[in-house]
Amino acid sequence: MSEQEQINEVLATDYQAGFVTDIESDTFPPGLSEETVRKISRMKDEPEFLLEWRLKAYHHWLTLETPEWAHVNYPEIDYQAISYYSAPKKKTDGPKSLDEVDPELLRTYEKLGVPLDERARLAGVAVDAVFDSVSVANTFQDKLAEDGIIFMPFSKAVHAHPELIKKYLGSVVSYKDNFYAALNSALFSDGSFVYIPKGTRCPMELSTYFRINAANTGQFERTLIIADDDAYVSYLEGCTAPMRDENQLHAAVVELVAHDRAEIKYSTVQNWYPGDENGVGGIFNFVTKRAACRGVSSKVSWTQVETGSAITWKYPSIILQGDNSTGEFYSVAVTNNMQQADTGTKMIHLGKNTSSTIISKGIAAGRSQNSYRGLVRVGPNAENARNYTECDSLLMGDQCGAHTFPYIEVKNPTAQIEHEASTSKISEDQLFYCKQRGLDADDAVSMIVNGFCKEVMRQLPMEFAVEAQNLLSLSLEGSVG
Amino acid sequence: MKMLEIKNLHASVGDKEILRGINLTINAGEVHAIMGPNGAGKSTLSNVLAGRDGYTITQGEVLYKGENLLELAAEERAQRGVFLAFQYPVEIPGVSNIYLLKAALNAVRKYQGLDELDAIDFLSLVRSKLDLVKMDEQFLHRGVNEGFSGGEKKRNEILQMALLEPSLAILDETDSGLDIDALKTVSEGVNGLRSADRSIVMITHYQRLLDYIEPDFVHVLSDGKIVKTGDKELAKELEKTGYSWVQQGQAE
């Protein structure tokens, strides 16, 4: 067997989260109209201001065209063929205590390695579990509330804290921002809401685990995190979906707001079903994530490990408004088989002495296409802005592609911008070297890839770093993990 | 004990035959030097013995400790104690040297049915080997061969050999690209690893390495065959006269 064949064999792997939970759901029939928007709002008994906002978003969306600038190819999405709401049947409204959660759902999360039992392994982590369109469980809410921290499903926060929602919703990502953000604004069904009060350091990791289960549905979640002055929070999201032959749409919006001296660390481990080796099925992941460093000396850091999805279109960005604010983007994007990823970031420097760091690691295997797209913009008032960008691509085999699209716009002469890029291959020399030292091909590939991503992986919270490493190995290998 | 028996070995790359009937027996504890001009097949021989892909064995056999070596995968050979010190050790960015060393040692130990060494035991073991090649502990925490000088790369190979304690070590042009001080250090390292149950094959273009690591036998490889075998005096003769007389001798 040649080493190319061995690479191929190592790459042929099963998606571990591809099972379907057999559970009764209330699902909207496919179709999108103003009535769909009203119906979602009605289901959630939303206040008038939110319905109005949704409708504005919907009517704006109707005027928009699908963006086509990304380096991805996929068949046109029929928005009338999608169901926009699906929720497991339940007897009462709102998230329940764990005792009342359907055991089938608990088993689902258990199987995914996200035990919802508060006494379980991830005891230092509070979890919001979003299943299709709704939050089904939310742990440690009460304990966090003792510190004044709000961590709850979005749909519940709308009722409990309407003033905060009104103030912050759409303040970072306007419903007019782009095609998918407008769609999400009209149709979002749930997500997580986090508020960390002034001077509070959130004592545990917060996390939301997104699961798409129902067929032919789209998931449109919305996450809003606010860190008030001098607050700190570390938040992690994870995502999986069953294996299906149809493509499914996931269009999320995440907004982060950091006030004076606040810090938000947001980590993503994205493992949506990527489709099979021939590109059949998989999630279309069109996500708008943006943070506003509004306060002085505030800091936001995005870390993402993207291994799933048939199409990834995602640019977690940071607006550095406050003077001395800091933005960081650390990304590992793995594409295999027929996957396509177009991902990167935007760092918008507006305040003085703002600095940003971008470290992007793209790994392309199979026949996949992996693109980094990043914008660094320095506004006219952003004295002494600094940016350092490094994007590295690793190619496995000779049928995949890695692309880099950096954009730099500088309107202030005091700016210092550095950009480094490299493209390399896992060479047969490297593989043979490792094998000659006794490692099998699986272990060798895993070691080489993890070495390549090390700078990014070490940004992840401890609790997840090992899981993310295993996931990385699993996406690329057959037997490791 | 016979460590390695190569019998009438023929190997090709594509349809080009490179090894054309090699016969060589190496006993435990012996050091053999294989010399020869460029293109003689020296690197092909070391790659074929280590199990690199891309070569077709068309005839012959190779026994390692009596076992058919050629049907084992590269990693299986390594686990059984066949070690190749590379002419051009590759860089593996981001993977620390110590991580690779530990993974390699544990792969060998696993084959031997031994438990993996824990971090503390491993570190004390590897520290004990550093002196042999005069390497600083910092090397352990740098990326594998990342930004290493030529001399550092070669010393790193010998460090790996010291740690893995192979039965058969093949040193492929270990002297190439070394200045005289580095050559001394590397040679002392190798000499320190000579033992009655370990065989060493040195592949080299130049005689100077043999001043530092004295071989028991010297073979001249030319055009895919061993055309002459002698002791270290043969190497000195070659140094004086070049390889052309061997090749001529072969033509006659």
Side-chain angles (χ1 to χ4, degrees):
Chain A
M1 191 160 48
S2 77
E3 297 204 345
Q4 180 62 47
E5 283 165 338
Q6 284 179 26
I7 290 177
N8 292 343
E9 184 177 277
V10 163
L11 291 176
T13 177
D14 292 331
Y15 180 69
Q16 308 279 315
F19 62 92
V20 179
T21 305
D22 188 9
I23 195 161
E24 252 192 290
S25 292
D26 287 318
T27 303
F28 284 10
L32 176 55
S33 65
E34 188 176 314
E35 181 49 28
T36 318
V37 178
R38 288 181 182 280
K39 213 164 134 190
I40 290 172
S41 186
R42 208 156 50 228
M43 290 277 297
K44 298 186 171 292
D45 194 22
E46 283 177 352
E48 193 58 28
F49 82 88
L50 197 51
L51 174 62
E52 274 172 30
W53 192 73
R54 284 177 182 277
L55 289 173
K56 274 194 278 187
Y58 175 68
H59 289 291
H60 182 69
W61 179 76
L62 290 175
T63 68
L64 300 176
E65 306 260 346
T66 311
E68 280 172 353
W69 43 262
H71 188 73
V72 291
N73 278 303
Y74 56 94
E76 207 178 319
I77 297 170
D78 179 358
Y79 290 93
Q80 297 304 333
I82 298 173
S83 164
Y84 290 87
Y85 187 88
S86 178
K89 278 205 170 125
K90 55 186 175 182
K91 293 167 201 99
T92 53
D93 281 342
K96 320 161 189 185
S97 84
L98 279 177
D99 303 340
E100 294 167 60
V101 175
D102 189 324
E104 194 59 38
L105 286 173
L106 291 180
R107 270 197 293 278
T108 300
Y109 283 90
E110 192 80 48
K111 236 165 128 177
L112 293 168
V114 190
L116 297 174
D117 186 332
E118 293 188 2
R119 287 154 301 182
R121 190 167 52 92
L122 295 175
V125 183
V127 180
D128 183 10
V130 176
F131 191 86
D132 291 329
S133 306
V134 293
S135 171
V136 292
N138 189 195
T139 64
F140 291 108
Q141 240 186 76
D142 299 340
K143 191 174 185 310
L144 290 165
E146 288 168 17
D147 291 327
I149 294 166
I150 305 167
F151 175 46
M152 58 173 63
F154 203 99
S155 53
K156 194 175 162 193
V158 166
H159 296 286
H161 304 282
E163 71 299 339
L164 288 174
I165 301 287
K166 211 167 175 173
K167 182 172 172 192
Y168 288 103
L169 178 69
S171 74
V172 186
V173 178
S174 144
Y175 67 80
K176 291 184 175 168
D177 192 82
N178 67 69
F179 184 84
Y180 299 106
L183 188 68
N184 173 285
S185 301
L187 296 161
F188 74 92
S189 50
D190 218 332
S192 296
F193 176 77
V194 176
Y195 175 80
I196 314 290
K198 281 184 185 169
T200 304
R201 193 179 166 88
C202 186
M204 57 176 77
E205 303 280 338
L206 304 184
S207 83
T208 303
Y209 197 91
F210 295 99
R211 174 76 175 166
I212 296 178
N213 187 62
N216 300 317
T217 56
Q219 190 177 56
F220 303 89
E221 88 270 2
R222 190 136 191 141
T223 297
L224 176 55
I225 299 177
I226 300 136
D228 216 326
D229 297 351
D230 303 290
Y232 169 86
V233 62
S234 171
Y235 176 92
L236 182 125
E237 63 169 2
C239 337
T240 57
M243 295 163 73
R244 295 187 194 286
D245 289 346
E246 302 81 32
N247 295 113
Q248 282 182 279
L249 179 62
H250 173 256
V253 171
V254 175
E255 296 179 278
L256 311 183
V257 179
H259 289 291
D260 290 351
R261 297 167 302 279
E263 181 176 348
I264 302 175
K265 191 173 160 58
Y266 191 107
S267 313
T268 303
V269 176
Q270 187 264 104
N271 184 27
W272 295 120
Y273 177 53
D276 71 7
E277 66 275 16
N278 298 313
V280 176
I283 301 291
F284 289 166
N285 192 32
F286 299 106
V287 173
T288 306
K289 289 185 167 176
R290 194 171 306 151
C293 279
R294 261 184 213 159
V296 296
S297 304
S298 55
K299 179 175 175 185
V300 168
S301 141
W302 297 104
T303 303
Q304 59 173 22
V305 176
E306 304 277 316
T307 61
S309 299
I311 309 273
T312 296
W313 182 100
K314 180 182 168 187
Y315 316 91
S317 303
I318 303 175
I319 301 164
L320 297 155
Q321 281 169 283
D323 291 348
N324 307 311
S325 59
T326 308
E328 295 172 340
F329 174 75
Y330 299 99
S331 171
V332 170
V334 181
T335 51
N336 193 1
N337 296 320
M338 299 293 281
Q339 281 177 278
Q340 304 173 65
D342 193 299
T343 185
T345 185
K346 291 190 274 188
M347 292 290 179
I348 313 295
H349 293 255
L350 301 176
K352 295 180 176 56
N353 306 313
T354 47
S355 68
S356 60
T357 304
I358 299 171
I359 310 282
S360 163
K361 306 278 179 179
I363 300 155
R367 285 172 288 165
S368 69
Q369 295 294 328
N370 197 318
S371 305
Y372 166 81
R373 187 182 302 276
L375 167 67
V376 176
R377 178 183 288 155
V378 176
N381 300 321
E383 296 287 323
N384 299 316
R386 298 259 188 291
N387 165 266
Y388 173 74
T389 299
E390 181 186 323
C391 34
D392 300 319
S393 305
L394 185 69
L395 296 166
M396 297 174 70
D398 54 9
Q399 295 168 67
C400 52
H403 316 269
T404 305
F405 304 97
Y407 306 82
I408 297 172
E409 297 171 18
V410 177
K411 298 214 169 83
N412 185 306
T414 62
Q416 284 188 26
I417 311 285
E418 287 176 73
H419 182 98
E420 287 182 22
S422 75
T423 301
S424 53
K425 279 185 88 164
I426 286 195
S427 63
E428 299 205 345
D429 287 345
Q430 283 173 328
L431 272 182
F432 178 60
Y433 190 77
C434 295
K435 285 156 84 175
Q436 216 302 307
R437 295 300 178 255
L439 280 68
D440 65 27
D442 272 7
D443 289 344
V445 169
S446 168
M447 186 176 78
I448 294 166
V449 167
N450 274 302
F452 176 74
C453 301
K454 192 157 80 179
E455 275 172 282
V456 173
M457 300 303 266
R458 69 171 170 225
Q459 299 295 329
L460 286 173
M462 276 283 279
E463 289 86 339
F464 300 102
V466 175
E467 284 178 48
Q469 259 178 29
N470 288 342
L471 181 60
L472 208 62
S473 302
L474 275 171
S475 326
L476 292 167
E477 301 183 29
S479 61
V480 173
Chain B
M1 188 193 91
K2 281 179 183 167
M3 185 67 74
L4 188 72
E5 292 172 84
I6 304 175
K7 298 176 184 169
N8 190 32
L9 181 66
H10 289 249
S12 313
V13 174
D15 39 12
K16 188 168 185 242
E17 186 167 59
I18 311 237
L19 301 184
R20 312 202 304 168
I22 300 226
N23 290 291
L24 179 62
T25 298
I26 297 175
N27 294 309
E30 291 176 353
V31 175
H32 290 238
I34 295 177
M35 304 183 68
N38 290 327
K42 300 193 299 291
S43 287
T44 298
L45 179 61
S46 57
N47 283 331
V48 165
L49 292 177
R52 186 170 194 135
D53 289 318
Y55 300 92
T56 314
I57 312 298
T58 49
Q59 268 188 71
E61 64 173 343
V62 179
L63 300 179
Y64 166 70
K65 295 182 180 175
E67 191 181 7
N68 183 351
L69 186 71
L70 298 177
E71 67 183 14
L72 299 174
E75 64 270 25
E76 293 170 326
R77 300 181 197 193
Q79 289 157 12
R80 284 161 174 74
V82 176
F83 180 90
L84 173 63
F86 284 72
Q87 183 180 3
Y88 304 108
V90 291
E91 299 191 2
I92 310 179
V95 175
S96 67
N97 217 10
I98 194 165
Y99 187 94
L100 174 66
L101 287 169
K102 189 161 182 260
L105 182 65
N106 283 330
V108 171
R109 288 179 66 91
K110 192 174 164 194
Y111 170 75
Q112 293 170 341
L114 299 170
D115 286 340
E116 294 196 352
L117 280 189
D118 66 30
I120 295 164
D121 289 345
F122 175 74
L123 197 61
S124 58
L125 176 65
V126 81
R127 276 187 184 138
S128 72
K129 307 288 183 186
L130 283 168
D131 277 350
L132 188 73
V133 284
K134 299 195 173 72
M135 271 170 88
D136 191 276
E137 199 174 320
Q138 279 181 331
F139 271 94
L140 299 176
H141 303 287
R142 285 169 60 183
V144 175
N145 294 317
E146 209 181 349
F148 285 24
S149 71
E152 288 169 344
K153 283 183 182 171
K154 296 297 171 77
R155 278 193 280 162
N156 198 30
E157 294 294 289
I158 304 306
L159 174 67
Q160 296 180 14
M161 174 178 162
L163 187 72
L164 298 175
E165 301 183 325
S167 302
L168 174 66
I170 303 159
L171 314 182
D172 190 2
E173 309 242 358
T174 293
D175 53 333
S176 69
L178 294 187
D179 62 29
I180 201 74
D181 291 334
L183 181 63
K184 269 188 189 164
T185 308
V186 166
S187 303
E188 281 164 19
V190 173
N191 283 328
L193 293 169
R194 286 178 82 149
S195 86
D197 50 11
R198 177 170 299 134
S199 306
I200 297 176
V201 178
M202 289 187 288
I203 290 180
T204 182
H205 198 77
Y206 299 105
Q207 189 266 337
R208 65 169 191 167
L209 177 67
L210 311 187
D211 288 340
Y212 296 93
I213 309 172
E214 279 196 24
D216 300 306
F217 299 94
V218 173
H219 310 278
V220 179
L221 188 67
S222 177
D223 205 17
K225 284 183 191 160
I226 290 176
V227 293
K228 206 165 176 61
T229 293
D231 58 14
K232 59 184 179 178
E233 296 307 317
L234 173 60
K236 288 186 179 144
E237 222 170 301
L238 283 171
E239 187 75 1
K240 264 184 262 162
T241 53
Y243 289 109
S244 54
W245 67 271
V246 185
Q247 285 163 311
Q248 280 163 11
Q250 192 189 358
E252 281 160 15

